Amino acid sequence: MTSLHKITIHHRQAGRTITFDVPDGEYILRSFESRGEQLPFSCRNGCCTTCAVRILSGEMDQTAGIGLSKEMREKGYGLLCVAKAIGSLEVETQDEDEVYEMQFGKDLGSMKSKAGSPFDL
């Protein structure tokens, strides 16, 4: 018999909290979608930050994700699209730009760039 894990998602953009029991090893995003819940995502490959969440408690298996740095994962962020249920979990959706800026802002901020179309430069 497969064990179930209580997964709670605080969907900030929608202003609601959603909780479901997800079978061990199942993809969390897919499980919530199968119940009619629409959560933020884009690539479904763990490469972008659209589905980024901050882990409030618990843990998830996100070994398939490459879109977050080791430092961001250590700070408690994860990618919901590649996350598998491995225990009870409580997460909060994040603004994609917020996570992107935390991860890449320091590097992009030091780049010399000029406003305008790249074809006009």
Side-chain angles (χ1 to χ4, degrees):
M1 184 169 165
T2 302
S3 55
L4 298 174
H5 305 295
K6 179 181 174 184
I7 309 294
T8 299
I9 300 176
H10 300 282
H11 190 334
R12 285 176 40 197
Q13 296 86 337
R16 43 192 302 255
T17 297
I18 313 154
T19 301
F20 288 119
D21 288 329
V22 177
D24 188 64
E26 290 282 324
Y27 286 103
I28 295 169
L29 177 64
R30 187 179 301 155
S31 183
F32 275 64
E33 286 179 322
S34 72
R35 294 172 169 117
E37 295 297 336
Q38 294 183 351
L39 296 166
F41 77 90
S42 184
C43 73
R44 288 189 187 273
N45 296 312
C47 294
C48 72
T49 56
T50 303
C51 67
V53 294
R54 187 169 57 90
I55 300 169
L56 303 175
S57 67
E59 61 181 326
M60 59 187 180
D61 174 356
Q62 58 174 331
T63 55
I66 61 172
L68 281 182
S69 66
K70 179 181 177 185
E71 294 78 22
M72 289 295 289
R73 288 191 310 273
E74 288 171 354
K75 288 180 181 178
Y77 290 88
L79 298 175
L80 207 53
C81 73
V82 293
K84 292 181 181 179
I86 58 172
S88 293
L89 176 70
E90 182 177 5
V91 298
E92 176 181 64
T93 61
Q94 302 294 292
D95 178 65
E96 178 182 12
D97 292 337
E98 175 184 346
V99 174
Y100 189 86
E101 179 65 28
M102 282 190 285
Q103 180 163 251
F104 301 114
K106 66 183 182 306
D107 298 323
L108 295 177
S110 64
M111 297 174 78
K112 296 188 187 310
S113 61
K114 197 162 113 177
S117 169
F119 300 109
D120 295 336
L121 300 177

